[in-house]
Amino acid sequence: MLDMSDSEMQTAALVAPVTALDFLHDLFLLTGEGPVLTVYSLQPQPKASASLCVLQHYRIHGIRPRHRAPVPDQSYATGSHRNDRHGLNTITEPRFYDLAVFGSKAVRLVRLHVSLQDGSGLHLETLGPLMELKDWVLDACWLSEDKHSILCVAVAHNSALLLDVNTGTVLVQRSCLEGCLLYSALLLVHELWDDAVLVGGTVFNQLVLWKPGGGQEGDSECKAPVERRLLGHSGVIFSISYLQEKGWLASASDDRSVRVWGVGALGGPGGKCGDLNPTCLRVLYGHQARVFSVCLSPGKVFSAGEDGACLVWDWTGGGKVIQTLKGHRAGGVRALAVSKGTGDEERWVATGGADGGVRLWRLKENEERKMEEVGSERLTDLKFPGDSIPKVVCGAEEDGNEGWSQSKFVVCTDQGTVYQYSNGQWEILWQGTPDFQSYCVMETVSIKAKDSAAKFNLCAVGNLSGSIHVFPICHPQSAILLTAGLGKIHSLIWQEGGGGMCLLASGAEGLVYRWCIEIKSNEICSLTFNVNPLPPFLLPPCTKRWLLAAVFLHSRSQEALWVCGDRRGSLLLFQEMGKLVQQKLDGVQVDVGNKNESDGDGRSSIMEERENKEVQTLKLQPLCSLFGVHGKQGVTSVYEHQGLLYSTGRDGCVRIFRVKTTAPEKCENPENSAGKAVENKIQFQLEVLRVQRACKGMEWLERVLILEPEFPEDVSEESENCCNTNQSFRGEVEADNKAREARFVIAGFHAVHFMIWDPVRQERLLAVPCGGGHRSWILWPSDKGVWPGYGALVFIKHRAVLASQPTGGGPGSTGRTGGWGLREGVHGRGIGCVCRLGRIEGSRNGINTIRNKTESERGEMEREGGHWEVVVTGGEDTSLTILALHPDSGNMEVLSVITDHISSVRTVTAVTHPEGEGVNRSQSLNALVVSAGGRAQMQCYRLSIGWDKQRPVPSCQVIQVASHRLDKQWERRRNRHKTVKMDPETRYMSAVVVDERTDRVLLAVGCSDGSVRLFSVSEAKGQIDLLWETFYHQRCVLSVATCNLEDGKGNRYKLLFTAATDGKIAVWDLTDVCSSTDASTPPIPCLNIPAHQSGINSLAVWAEKLVHQEGGCLVTVASGGDDGQLKVSVIKAHFSEDGKTGDSRDFSHICESTISSTMAIQAADQLHLHLHASFHIPGAHAAPLTALKFLTPGLVVSTSSDQRICLWTICSTGISHRKTLCSHVADAAGFAVWEEQMMDRDGRDERGNTGFESKEEIVTWGGKGSQTGLETEGRSTEANGRVYKETADETEGEEPVETASETGDPVYKTSAQKGSEPGNQTEADSKVTGEAGLKEKAGWVLVCGQGFQLVRIRNAEMWRELTGEN
């Protein structure tokens, strides 16, 4: 846990923009994120090793290590690591480094201790106090000759000072004669203060150079003159870098340019100021936005900016971009660091993003010269020979680890000739007969010989007459001829099947012919084929009736399945005949090396007769199909990975689906005959989980590529385990449907480019100008389904075979196109809403089985495998992110990223309940999540969160349920010409779950067009329907909230609270709406409360019964708005029993004359509301109050853009301030809060019971602006050694009757419907608490904005005061 405050409020986790980076001897990477300093060990593999909060509430902007002179026996301090595997020589005693950390107006001295031999024992320690200066610190530099801790500091008003970091004393301060404001500064200090030179980037777009130590000693009033002035930029200067070897100075500016200046020698003995007339050597334009950072190295310039790219410029090559390093999500790169490199010219490059991510690249000199975004001048013509026209190109690699120079390709021409390209040479493999001319299809595959370790590449070529020629590439003369009907062969597909390698040929009349092919190698160097024909598939009737993709699956019920995609865009499921799988037909061995046993073309007449007989008698029809799911342009690929299937098409979509099994049906005497579908006791069907779109304009998708792990070391250590796991998953249908989605990239065509697109980071990893689709191509390396981080494209264009240059290196290379993610980013453009789903307890069984881990690593994994909090965040980058937070360690894992929204996500809410039974119930969650935002768009997902089988972190499967947009609904109306079309700029501002049933969920939404809309979400039907809308507010509705009430007779009432920009709160009675089946008429508000002078950004509601008065309760409504005021309104609710309307003051706040006539007509059991009391604190925050929620009945948490988190206690006499914490999250927009009670029991097992006893528990809560009332109080249950509070009524098996918290936390509802006395709850609560021995009670606050911060509130006295416990 990151302790950033006092004992009451502690920061447990923080994700904020990374604003500082620096390397320490190429062995460690130092990062600054908010006030937190983190050290990453780079050897043997990069990983986080230590972190510490050093600047309190200041943000770190710079880290300056103090480089000490090396001692002869301390080879570690010199950074020499070329002769050691881990980059470290033997360390026999502790080492330390002093670091000067600065940011804003603060400076602090930190010491990094290195104690273990492998350098992994790192510890950070603060030395001395936090020094707060009077001006912003822009740069700092150590005095090298001084034995004391003396630091030169450059500040924002063009001044410099000497600072004793041990005492915090300013020794000397000197200002420049030109006292303008600086945006950036660079200090060059040799040994003495008199040698110092300062280069400042002014607000007037200039670079000024002056000597702070040039005046008389002790004369701080004398201002130094400007020695040099550099003009040329048209924007302010954000970063400055100097390369002493070349005498170059580089500057990065707001004008999107990087300028390199020839200034000569700066600093050094005597404080040189360089050339008298410095010149601009180069102006580098390449960024699409502001440039924030620049670094110089010999021959290279590195720059990073707001466009999220780090550009590598080749200085010697004319200032061109030779490599683009990307990996961050939206928001840009805020920090850049480049290591000094080693003897073999290797260097580290690190970038820190606004998304809170840190990425790392390892570049070599030869790799730096390779351009990532390939241009047309980088395409290589492979000089295809002959006069024929190349038509099809396929790969012919036998080993996936071959380099680019050893790669092989096979090309088929329009004359039926097959060529092979190897080692830069072309050779003819096979000359086709005349019937193979003018048209042919070709496909290759690498197959392992039976009873041998040898691998061979087989090539299959089909023609117009149904003939298929199959031959090994290494022995073209060894061939067989297969027949697939008498018509055109539309496509050929090689696919690993249950009995070996299968060849599928799509012929005429929708028949897909199949063969199982094996190959043997004889002692006389001849090859023998074993061909077994299989029953053909019969495709459904349609205009384009041929197959384009297929994958083989094995279900755990021993059923063999095929999932296929056809040219019509449909997905088809076929089932193999069991007898044919278990007992293969007796194949005929054809010794193609001996032509005496076969005819002249290597074709077996016996095999042909057997094949024709099978084709005539058996035709397999699909069990089920998803007709036209990929549009009319066809399915391009189907791929299976760990139990899930991924299909692509020319509709621009990737569909993730699975084969779902249903209960067996009772079948008597099933019969399988020709032309009939195969009957099966177990029913299978295809179920689409979700749809992933590529980037705009990328409609022609070709395939999905699974991302490899970023750290090769992890893969090598656990390769055997992972391979065994994959073997068990590969091609299997998960019986329990618990398969998890993998991270993947999309390969396809975008206009004239072939592109690899990362949908999570929203960036392209590869782009090759090939001319667009409708051409044959292959991607190297040819490992289908995997993207290793590098690749090249070979394609046919204008009768030529062209190849792009490989990007990112090759096998074993560290120059990945996306780099290594030391820390995953979240949202780069701000988080607008957050919703907590709950907590899951991880299983530790898998941790003990992980090999090759030290005891400390296993201990760390065990700690991380315990308790995880799962939240969903929505951001301005139009994405939803599912996160798992580990409060004990502060670690964060991105479980899934959803990018279906077309505009920013403003609100998210969820209905959640745990899965499983008994102990396993706390190890999984199932949530129905609804997100809404700009363009009046709403998305609904089912999230299944469980435990990862390979790593000690949770995993998440996303199932897309439904989507809704107002403009599409308006277009479907019959009389839409009589109505006004909705505003396309309408935004959903806030959403809350009103009612939840088994068949539907009611959702109330506040909209920017002044309306309140009620939606019905049906998961069974997969649709979202608009029930009614009302424009009562006539102004933008910013926040909505609900609460439940219950009278003495057991009647329940549902209240909806809405707040708008006019500062008024409207109260709606939705009791009839929730109980009726037809809710098409909007209700009328029953109370209107003027609360603020301007917009109300957030509402929080809490209800409690009146103990001494029957039939009534108090509802506490807390609100915060743009006026910075915190307002608490107490509403008294009275339940009328005789049908009387009660006092007129009950409705004195209803000001609409149009509804006054309806007030007098009220039925029995009508609910009466009136404002009982109100309190307010003007200026509760120094800026608009953006979010507030109840943590407990008497405790409110609020936040604002003033970066303060405030705790307020509410009582009958008013509001009092309790505590304030400075937040490190800028532009706070929302948060989630929840309460946690923990008890320690002696001798209790760590994996205790979950305490969830009800079979129908439902948890409901909301994100920003969506508060849902808790209906629990009092009961204590155990979970993993801790006790959590629940309802006293639930302890007796009864349903709770009171509303508790509006915190956005879970709402647990039981199925029992028994009444109880409300007065017994407090007594039961105290009794359970006393018996259980409650030791600690805590609350959690997750604040979101430009990043997020998880805060834990711990104060035993405060909890006892609020709850009345002794």
Side-chain angles (χ1 to χ4, degrees):
M1 179 177 290
L2 302 173
D3 187 2
M4 300 185 187
S5 58
D6 55 22
S7 59
E8 287 192 12
M9 302 178 72
Q10 295 178 340
T11 297
L14 175 67
V15 173
V18 178
T19 52
L21 289 172
D22 201 357
F23 285 99
L24 183 59
H25 291 306
D26 282 7
L27 300 176
F28 306 107
L29 175 64
L30 311 173
T31 68
E33 182 182 21
V36 180
L37 175 66
T38 303
V39 182
Y40 291 88
S41 176
L42 302 181
Q43 304 293 343
Q45 69 180 30
K47 65 176 181 179
S49 300
S51 62
L52 181 67
C53 178
V54 297
L55 291 191
Q56 294 182 1
H57 55 275
Y58 295 109
R59 179 175 293 180
I60 298 175
H61 284 280
I63 307 167
R64 299 295 181 264
R66 185 178 187 180
H67 299 284
R68 299 178 181 271
V71 181
D73 61 345
Q74 296 179 352
S75 57
Y76 175 78
T78 65
S80 61
H81 60 279
R82 285 169 289 173
N83 298 325
D84 187 71
R85 178 180 179 269
H86 300 305
L88 295 172
N89 293 326
T90 303
I91 302 174
T92 58
E93 57 179 306
R95 301 290 187 266
F96 65 88
Y97 298 93
D98 287 341
L99 312 173
V101 182
F102 62 89
S104 187
K105 298 181 180 181
V107 180
R108 195 161 200 176
L109 178 62
V110 181
R111 178 162 292 176
L112 171 63
H113 296 271
V114 183
S115 57
L116 297 182
Q117 291 187 357
D118 59 355
S120 61
L122 302 180
H123 173 66
L124 289 170
E125 176 190 6
T126 57
L127 302 179
L130 178 69
M131 294 161 283
E132 295 182 303
L133 306 180
K134 298 180 180 180
D135 204 351
W136 286 78
V137 180
L138 300 180
D139 193 20
C141 186
W142 293 94
L143 280 183
S144 59
E145 69 124 24
D146 196 278
K147 297 182 180 180
H148 304 284
S149 299
I150 304 299
L151 197 66
C152 302
V153 179
V155 294
H157 283 81
N158 211 1
S159 299
L161 51 88
L162 275 179
L163 184 65
D164 188 342
V165 293
N166 289 326
T167 63
T169 305
V170 177
L171 304 178
V172 180
Q173 182 171 0
R174 188 82 185 278
S175 299
C176 180
L177 189 60
E178 187 168 322
C180 59
L181 187 66
L182 301 183
Y183 267 65
S184 59
L186 175 65
L187 271 172
L188 302 173
V189 180
H190 179 56
E191 293 181 351
L192 300 175
W193 168 250
D194 295 339
D195 301 336
V197 174
L198 189 149
V199 183
T202 72
V203 71
F204 301 112
N205 314 331
Q206 301 175 1
L207 286 169
V208 294
L209 189 150
W210 59 283
K211 298 176 61 176
Q216 297 295 327
E217 184 176 356
D219 187 6
S220 60
E221 298 297 332
C222 181
K223 296 185 177 181
V226 175
E227 301 291 341
R228 305 288 187 270
R229 191 185 303 272
L230 304 179
L231 306 177
H233 280 293
S234 59
V236 296
I237 298 165
F238 292 123
S239 178
I240 306 171
S241 178
Y242 177 68
L243 184 63
Q244 186 176 5
E245 301 174 12
K246 302 288 186 178
W248 294 346
L249 187 73
S251 56
S253 174
D254 181 60
D255 60 6
R256 304 185 180 184
S257 72
V258 174
R259 289 178 178 260
V260 181
W261 313 81
V263 295
L266 298 180
K272 300 182 182 65
C273 294
D275 300 337
L276 291 176
N277 297 311
T279 59
C280 180
L281 303 179
R282 191 84 64 184
V283 180
L284 306 177
Y285 280 101
H287 285 278
Q288 304 300 316
R290 296 181 294 177
V291 187
F292 289 144
S293 303
V294 63
C295 290
L296 286 174
S297 67
K300 300 293 183 295
V301 180
F302 297 84
S303 61
E306 199 174 21
D307 57 357
C310 174
L311 302 183
V312 183
W313 308 79
D314 186 6
W315 175 259
T316 59
K320 294 182 180 180
V321 177
I322 60 173
Q323 194 164 1
T324 301
L325 307 178
K326 287 187 175 182
H328 295 278
R329 296 172 68 174
V333 179
R334 298 296 179 89
L336 171 66
V338 181
S339 68
K340 294 181 178 180
T342 59
D344 55 356
E345 294 301 328
E346 286 188 348
R347 64 180 73 251
W348 291 105
V349 178
T351 56
D355 59 353
V358 179
R359 300 203 69 82
L360 188 67
W361 287 266
R362 186 67 163 169
L363 302 183
K364 295 182 180 180
E365 181 66 24
N366 56 349
E367 290 177 351
E368 290 180 1
R369 295 183 178 274
K370 297 177 181 179
M371 181 176 297
E372 182 186 40
E373 296 189 6
V374 182
S376 59
E377 69 275 9
R378 303 295 295 176
L379 297 178
T380 302
D381 190 350
L382 300 183
K383 305 297 182 182
F384 183 77
D387 298 331
S388 57
I389 302 174
K391 291 294 185 180
V392 185
V393 58
C394 296
E397 298 179 24
E398 297 179 0
D399 188 357
N401 294 325
E402 292 180 352
W404 170 248
S405 59
Q406 291 81 33
S407 58
K408 300 178 182 180
F409 314 113
V410 176
V411 174
C412 186
T413 68
D414 61 341
Q415 300 299 320
T417 306
V418 178
Y419 289 80
Q420 181 182 9
Y421 180 83
S422 177
N423 297 323
Q425 301 293 327
W426 291 95
E427 62 175 331
I428 298 178
L429 294 180
W430 175 72
Q431 178 65 54
T433 58
D435 57 344
F436 281 88
Q437 297 180 3
S438 73
Y439 173 84
C440 64
V441 291
M442 182 178 69
E443 195 64 44
T444 61
V445 70
S446 178
I447 184 174
K448 185 178 180 181
K450 189 175 182 181
D451 301 330
S452 174
K455 284 188 176 181
F456 299 92
N457 280 298
L458 295 184
C459 180
V461 183
N463 62 10
L464 283 171
S465 59
S467 299
I468 303 172
H469 190 82
V470 182
F471 62 92
I473 293 179
C474 59
H475 299 280
Q477 67 278 7
S478 303
I480 58 173
L481 188 65
L482 305 176
T483 301
L486 301 176
K488 176 181 178 182
I489 302 297
H490 293 279
S491 64
L492 294 173
I493 301 173
W494 289 101
Q495 178 63 40
E496 185 75 30
M501 186 61 65
C502 294
L503 175 63
L504 287 74
S506 188
E509 298 180 355
L511 286 175
V512 180
Y513 299 87
R514 302 182 299 141
W515 300 269
C516 183
I517 299 178
E518 295 179 349
I519 190 170
K520 295 182 179 180
S521 178
N522 296 335
E523 296 179 356
I524 58 176
C525 298
S526 62
L527 298 178
T528 302
F529 282 94
N530 187 18
V531 181
N532 300 287
L534 300 175
F537 295 149
L538 181 62
L539 302 181
C542 59
T543 56
K544 301 174 182 178
R545 202 177 177 190
W546 64 86
L547 209 62
L548 293 180
V551 65
F552 178 81
L553 302 176
H554 240 318
S555 69
R556 294 183 177 179
S557 59
Q558 303 302 320
E559 302 290 344
L561 304 174
W562 287 83
V563 179
C564 305
D566 64 6
R567 180 62 176 81
R568 181 55 183 82
S570 304
L571 293 173
L572 311 171
L573 178 63
F574 291 91
Q575 179 181 341
E576 196 75 82
M577 296 190 64
K579 293 182 179 180
L580 292 177
V581 174
Q582 299 172 4
Q583 302 176 358
K584 296 191 301 180
L585 298 176
D586 295 332
V588 177
Q589 295 185 355
V590 182
D591 188 354
V592 295
N594 188 351
K595 298 296 182 74
N596 294 330
E597 297 185 11
S598 61
D599 52 13
D601 56 0
R603 180 177 178 179
S604 171
S605 59
I606 301 177
M607 181 183 65
E608 181 182 359
E609 293 176 1
R610 178 70 58 84
E611 175 190 351
N612 292 335
K613 183 179 179 181
E614 291 297 328
V615 169
Q616 294 175 1
T617 56
L618 293 174
K619 297 177 183 177
L620 302 182
Q621 294 183 352
L623 297 179
C624 70
S625 65
L626 301 176
F627 180 76
V629 68
H630 277 284
K632 297 182 179 181
Q633 299 301 319
V635 179
T636 55
S637 71
V638 178
Y639 181 72
E640 183 273 335
H641 182 72
Q642 295 187 355
L644 289 183
L645 295 125
Y646 305 80
S647 64
T648 59
R650 299 183 189 177
D651 59 345
C653 295
V654 176
R655 282 174 170 80
I656 298 97
F657 62 103
R658 65 186 176 190
V659 178
K660 186 177 181 180
T661 59
T662 57
E665 295 182 357
K666 295 182 180 180
C667 301
E668 297 182 358
N669 300 325
E671 296 181 358
N672 300 328
S673 58
K676 294 185 179 180
V678 179
E679 297 184 8
N680 184 23
K681 294 182 179 181
I682 299 179
Q683 300 297 321
F684 299 96
Q685 66 182 56
L686 299 177
E687 180 186 18
V688 177
L689 302 181
R690 76 179 189 96
V691 179
Q692 174 68 62
R693 291 199 63 90
C695 64
K696 184 178 181 180
M698 190 175 177
E699 300 295 331
W700 189 321
L701 306 186
E702 287 288 353
R703 67 179 59 165
V704 163
L705 302 174
I706 304 299
L707 282 178
E708 282 189 341
E710 293 185 334
F711 294 102
E713 291 83 357
D714 289 341
V715 179
S716 63
E717 289 180 359
E718 303 176 14
S719 58
E720 183 176 350
N721 290 338
C722 293
C723 290
N724 293 337
T725 304
N726 291 336
Q727 287 289 341
S728 64
F729 275 99
R730 178 171 175 78
E732 285 193 357
V733 180
E734 288 289 293
D736 53 1
N737 291 327
K738 296 298 181 183
R740 304 298 177 184
E741 183 180 327
R743 276 273 280 118
F744 62 86
V745 296
I746 305 172
F749 294 95
H750 184 280
V752 298
H753 287 78
F754 176 86
M755 195 161 67
I756 304 293
W757 176 258
D758 190 340
V760 173
R761 297 195 180 101
Q762 295 289 297
E763 65 171 315
R764 59 181 184 178
L765 305 180
L766 175 69
V768 179
C770 63
H774 293 294
R775 67 189 66 252
S776 180
W777 60 274
I778 60 170
L779 185 65
W780 175 88
S782 61
D783 296 333
K784 295 184 178 180
V786 176
W787 172 248
Y790 56 88
L793 184 73
V794 180
F795 60 95
I796 296 175
K797 181 180 180 182
H798 295 160
R799 300 189 175 187
V801 181
L802 305 177
S804 67
Q805 294 297 321
T807 61
S813 171
T814 56
R816 300 167 54 94
T817 56
W820 293 325
L822 297 184
R823 180 167 185 173
E824 190 72 20
V826 187
H827 296 273
R829 294 180 182 171
I831 303 174
C833 54
V834 61
C835 175
R836 174 181 176 262
L837 301 184
R839 60 180 288 162
I840 63 174
E841 300 289 341
S843 173
R844 293 175 173 83
N845 293 336
I847 298 175
N848 298 327
T849 62
I850 299 178
R851 303 181 303 170
N852 300 324
K853 297 292 183 183
T854 63
E855 292 297 330
S856 61
E857 290 174 335
R858 287 196 180 190
E860 182 179 355
M861 296 175 66
E862 186 174 352
R863 288 191 301 270
E864 294 184 4
H867 161 211
W868 291 83
E869 296 287 347
V870 182
V871 299
V872 180
T873 59
E876 297 178 7
D877 57 356
T878 74
S879 68
L880 277 176
T881 303
I882 296 94
L883 301 172
L885 305 177
H886 195 265
D888 295 335
S889 64
N891 290 344
M892 179 268 298
E893 288 287 338
V894 178
L895 305 185
S896 182
V897 178
I898 306 172
T899 58
D900 293 334
H901 280 272
I902 60 176
S903 187
S904 62
V905 182
R906 300 298 300 265
T907 180
V908 59
T909 186
V911 177
T912 304
H913 62 83
E915 288 183 333
E917 296 181 358
V919 176
N920 295 329
R921 200 165 193 189
S922 65
Q923 297 180 4
S924 61
L925 282 174
N926 198 290
L928 184 69
V929 176
V930 180
S931 60
R935 303 293 294 274
Q937 182 185 15
M938 186 181 299
Q939 298 285 142
C940 181
Y941 305 94
R942 170 65 64 181
L943 303 183
S944 179
I945 302 167
W947 194 248
D948 197 311
K949 298 180 180 180
Q950 299 183 19
R951 298 189 304 156
V953 295
S955 62
C956 176
Q957 176 58 52
V958 180
I959 302 176
Q960 199 168 24
V961 175
S963 62
H964 185 275
R965 286 184 61 184
L966 282 181
D967 55 351
K968 291 185 178 180
Q969 180 173 359
W970 181 87
E971 292 174 356
R972 290 194 295 264
R973 292 181 179 179
R974 292 184 178 180
N975 300 322
R976 60 179 180 270
H977 62 281
K978 297 181 180 180
T979 61
V980 178
K981 186 176 181 179
M982 55 82 60
D983 184 3
E985 298 301 325
T986 298
R987 301 179 302 279
Y988 292 147
M989 308 300 295
S990 179
V992 65
V993 174
V994 175
D995 188 45
E996 193 276 334
R997 295 185 180 179
T998 57
D999 58 340
R1000 57 104 176 102
V1001 174
L1002 293 184
L1003 199 71
V1005 181
C1007 309
S1008 64
D1009 59 358
S1011 68
V1012 177
R1013 292 180 169 92
L1014 186 69
F1015 292 90
S1016 174
V1017 181
S1018 175
E1019 186 175 5
K1021 298 179 181 178
Q1023 64 184 23
I1024 302 175
D1025 297 321
L1026 175 63
L1027 301 182
W1028 51 257
E1029 59 184 6
T1030 174
F1031 291 84
Y1032 169 79
H1033 282 282
Q1034 307 245 331
R1035 289 174 177 84
C1036 176
V1037 181
L1038 297 175
S1039 182
V1040 295
T1042 63
C1043 78
N1044 297 326
L1045 305 178
E1046 183 176 352
D1047 60 12
K1049 298 181 179 180
N1051 299 318
R1052 288 189 168 240
Y1053 300 87
K1054 178 74 69 172
L1055 296 182
L1056 173 67
F1057 300 81
T1058 61
T1061 55
D1062 58 359
K1064 297 180 180 179
I1065 302 174
V1067 186
W1068 312 70
D1069 186 0
L1070 300 185
T1071 306
D1072 294 338
V1073 174
C1074 297
S1075 59
S1076 64
T1077 57
D1078 184 14
S1080 58
T1081 303
I1084 299 174
C1086 55
L1087 188 62
N1088 191 8
I1089 305 173
H1092 293 264
Q1093 299 177 356
S1094 55
I1096 301 175
N1097 296 319
S1098 183
L1099 287 175
V1101 183
W1102 192 288
E1104 58 182 350
K1105 281 190 175 181
L1106 296 177
V1107 179
H1108 302 291
Q1109 298 183 20
E1110 296 182 358
C1113 67
L1114 292 180
V1115 180
T1116 303
V1117 182
S1119 59
D1122 290 337
D1123 53 6
Q1125 175 180 258
L1126 174 63
K1127 181 71 173 288
V1128 175
S1129 303
V1130 182
I1131 301 174
K1132 185 176 181 180
H1134 177 70
F1135 309 108
S1136 176
E1137 298 181 359
D1138 53 1
K1140 296 182 180 180
T1141 60
D1143 298 337
S1144 60
R1145 63 177 182 176
D1146 291 353
F1147 303 96
S1148 59
H1149 293 278
I1150 300 179
C1151 57
E1152 292 289 337
S1153 59
T1154 57
I1155 62 174
S1156 59
S1157 59
T1158 63
M1159 300 292 181
I1161 305 175
Q1162 299 178 10
D1165 299 329
Q1166 178 65 45
L1167 179 67
H1168 304 277
L1169 305 175
H1170 72 272
L1171 184 62
H1172 179 69
S1174 64
F1175 314 98
H1176 71 278
I1177 296 182
H1181 284 270
L1185 198 152
T1186 55
L1188 62 86
K1189 288 189 177 180
F1190 277 101
L1191 183 57
T1192 62
L1195 184 64
V1196 173
V1197 186
S1198 65
T1199 188
S1200 169
S1201 54
D1202 62 358
Q1203 296 188 225
R1204 299 291 188 274
I1205 303 173
C1206 296
L1207 301 180
W1208 311 87
T1209 55
I1210 301 175
C1211 59
S1212 60
T1213 58
I1215 311 170
S1216 60
H1217 178 261
R1218 185 76 189 192
K1219 195 69 179 176
T1220 296
L1221 174 69
C1222 293
S1223 173
H1224 309 297
V1225 177
D1227 301 329
F1231 59 21
V1233 301
W1234 62 95
E1235 183 184 358
E1236 180 183 64
Q1237 291 186 8
M1238 297 182 296
M1239 308 180 181
D1240 295 333
R1241 293 181 180 269
D1242 296 335
R1244 174 154 181 86
D1245 184 71
E1246 290 184 356
R1247 297 185 60 187
N1249 297 327
T1250 62
F1252 299 117
E1253 302 297 337
S1254 172
K1255 295 183 179 180
E1256 299 183 8
E1257 270 176 351
I1258 301 295
V1259 187
T1260 310
W1261 56 81
K1264 177 186 176 182
S1266 55
Q1267 294 81 11
T1268 305
L1270 285 183
E1271 298 187 354
T1272 63
E1273 290 182 7
R1275 190 179 85 177
S1276 296
T1277 56
E1278 298 183 31
N1280 292 317
R1282 300 173 180 176
V1283 179
Y1284 299 89
K1285 219 173 177 184
E1286 296 181 14
T1287 308
D1289 293 331
E1290 292 178 355
T1291 309
E1292 302 174 1
E1294 299 173 349
E1295 182 166 351
V1297 297
E1298 293 191 26
T1299 299
S1301 170
E1302 290 305 325
T1303 63
D1305 291 333
V1307 177
Y1308 297 97
K1309 301 179 182 179
T1310 59
S1311 58
Q1313 299 290 334
K1314 298 180 181 180
S1316 63
E1317 293 297 329
N1320 296 332
Q1321 294 184 1
T1322 303
E1323 182 180 354
D1325 188 10
S1326 302
K1327 181 179 180 180
V1328 172
T1329 303
E1331 292 178 355
L1334 183 64
K1335 291 182 61 177
E1336 185 177 287
K1337 199 172 190 179
W1340 294 91
V1341 179
L1342 180 63
V1343 183
C1344 295
Q1346 297 294 331
F1348 66 80
Q1349 181 179 0
L1350 179 61
V1351 178
R1352 184 176 185 177
I1353 304 174
R1354 308 173 63 177
N1355 189 310
E1357 294 181 0
M1358 179 178 63
W1359 293 113
R1360 285 194 295 267
E1361 178 183 341
L1362 293 173
T1363 59
E1365 299 173 357
N1366 296 325

